[in-house]
Amino acid sequence: MRWFTRDIVIASMLLFCITNLLASQKEPIIIDTRNNIQGMVINLDGGVYTLEHQSNNPIPLVYLNQDGERNIILTDSSIGHQGIGVYEDRTRGMNLIFTSKKNSPFSGLAFLIKNDDLVMKREIFFFDDSFFKKNEVIPTISSDGKFLIVRGRFASRNMIIRVFDLEYIVDKIINSNKDIIFVTSGYKYQWSLPDNIFTYKSGELRPLQAIASNGKIVSIVLGNARVNPKAIYNFTMDGNLLGSNTNVTVGMDRVKSYGEEGFFEPEGLSIDDNGILSILMLIGRKNSISNYIYKYSEAD
């Protein structure tokens, strides 16, 4: 099985300390859309998959932004609010796209696309109904193509991460003739996120916005839409805290002058084939919003 990125050899410490230094790409990528982006994946060629919501249409869209073009590759009314993972099998001309399921705290969706046609849709239950009954699972796939990672909750601010072997999940999807698949006991790792990371020192909510992984670490980004610093935390795949940056301000200079009218919200996180962490920021004010993707590197 060929995964959507080749295996990469990278020292994990490159990502343990996230800084506000831009990588070799000094200017951010701008995704030219008026839609609300709620997740992204950067593929082997530098193309960006984005999960988008339209203000005048309740049906979410998945785009591939590449070579100056934006192509819709999936639309479905049951797709949830945030989170996207993409597995590309280019040999067989097949994409498997994972999203949250709308209003489901227990399950996500998998869409099998072949030759640009949707050929299969499956609902996958990652958690049973004993878990907290709000929010969504925010799926992501590690950039080495080995793991699928989802979020669950024991309580409102008691969140957990489950890490699954991606090959196990893909085999379940492809080899099952059932529309609903249960993998609630099939995870490789399960661990809790620290309770104290979900609020600012002021007590204001700092929500989890996106998850990313390179197969060696799991990174999460947190922050609200206010013009204030965001936070990134890094963990081992089995949940040990490696480090954090609670002063992520890259891009904030674009919006400081807007004051209370400004929007500065993290809406996506991805680790590309070179091991570089990228963050998508929603920046602007009412009726003038832009989506910027910034790249980070400790080496710069």
Side-chain angles (χ1 to χ4, degrees), residues 46-60:
V48 183
Y49 290 93
T50 50
L51 172 62
E52 304 186 18
H53 298 268
Q54 305 170 89
S55 60
N56 59 351
N57 189 330
I59 302 177

Side-chain angles (χ1 to χ4, degrees), residues 18-271:
I18 302 302
T19 71
N20 280 339
L21 297 175
L22 291 178
S24 56
Q25 171 202 308
K26 298 301 181 183
E27 292 299 321
I29 297 170
I30 300 176
I31 304 296
D32 187 14
T33 178
R34 292 183 178 275
N35 297 335
N36 180 12
I37 297 179
Q38 288 292 334
M40 71 168 180
V41 173
I42 299 176
N43 73 3
L44 181 65
D45 302 318
V48 183
Y49 290 93
T50 50
L51 172 62
E52 304 186 18
H53 298 268
Q54 305 170 89
S55 60
N56 59 351
N57 189 330
I59 302 177
L61 306 162
V62 175
Y63 281 85
L64 176 58
N65 305 268
Q66 192 163 2
D67 299 327
E69 298 182 356
R70 279 172 46 81
N71 295 306
I72 298 173
I73 60 172
L74 174 66
T75 179
D76 190 284
S77 61
S78 57
I79 291 175
H81 180 64
Q82 63 186 147
I84 181 174
V86 180
Y87 153 54
E88 294 181 344
D89 186 332
R90 299 182 180 189
T91 301
R92 293 184 286 181
M94 180 181 81
N95 286 350
L96 194 56
I97 298 176
F98 295 87
T99 72
S100 297
K101 182 183 179 183
K102 186 176 182 179
N103 298 326
S104 174
F106 312 125
S107 64
L109 300 173
F111 301 88
L112 181 62
I113 297 173
K114 195 166 186 179
N115 299 322
D116 299 324
D117 293 323
L118 179 63
V119 297
M120 184 188 299
K121 175 184 175 182
R122 298 284 186 262
E123 181 177 3
I124 306 173
F125 275 81
F126 301 106
F127 304 97
D128 61 43
D129 61 7
S130 67
F131 286 81
F132 193 65
K133 296 174 175 57
K134 285 188 177 181
N135 291 117
E136 297 174 346
V137 298
I138 318 181
T140 191
I141 293 174
S142 61
S143 62
D144 65 354
K146 293 182 179 179
F147 302 104
L148 173 66
I149 300 144
V150 293
R151 182 274 306 267
R153 292 175 186 254
F154 288 124
S156 178
R157 296 185 188 177
N158 186 357
M159 296 188 193
I160 67 165
I161 297 293
R162 277 187 173 176
V163 179
F164 295 81
D165 285 320
L166 183 58
E167 186 171 3
Y168 163 74
I169 299 293
V170 172
D171 287 345
K172 285 277 190 181
I173 293 167
I174 293 177
N175 296 321
S176 175
N177 58 4
K178 298 180 179 179
D179 291 334
I180 299 177
I181 298 170
F182 293 87
V183 296
T184 53
S185 61
Y187 53 89
K188 185 178 181 69
Y189 304 116
Q190 173 179 298
W191 41 275
S192 295
L193 291 169
D195 293 348
N196 62 352
I197 69 176
F198 301 110
T199 54
Y200 291 93
K201 291 181 179 179
S202 64
E204 188 177 12
L205 182 64
R206 183 168 64 188
L208 190 155
Q209 296 284 3
I211 306 169
S213 175
N214 66 351
K216 302 182 189 312
I217 68 171
V218 175
S219 297
I220 64 171
V221 60
L222 305 101
N224 56 28
R226 294 183 181 275
V227 182
N228 56 27
K230 312 310 171 187
I232 294 176
Y233 287 80
N234 297 320
F235 303 86
T236 61
M237 299 303 292
D238 58 355
N240 292 314
L241 179 63
L242 295 168
S244 63
N245 180 2
T246 58
N247 191 39
V248 178
T249 60
V250 64
M252 199 164 75
D253 58 328
R254 297 177 182 270
V255 74
K256 274 185 176 180
S257 63
Y258 296 158
E260 291 297 320
E261 295 181 356
F263 288 91
F264 183 63
E265 187 170 13
E267 294 289 11
L269 199 65
S270 185
I271 301 178

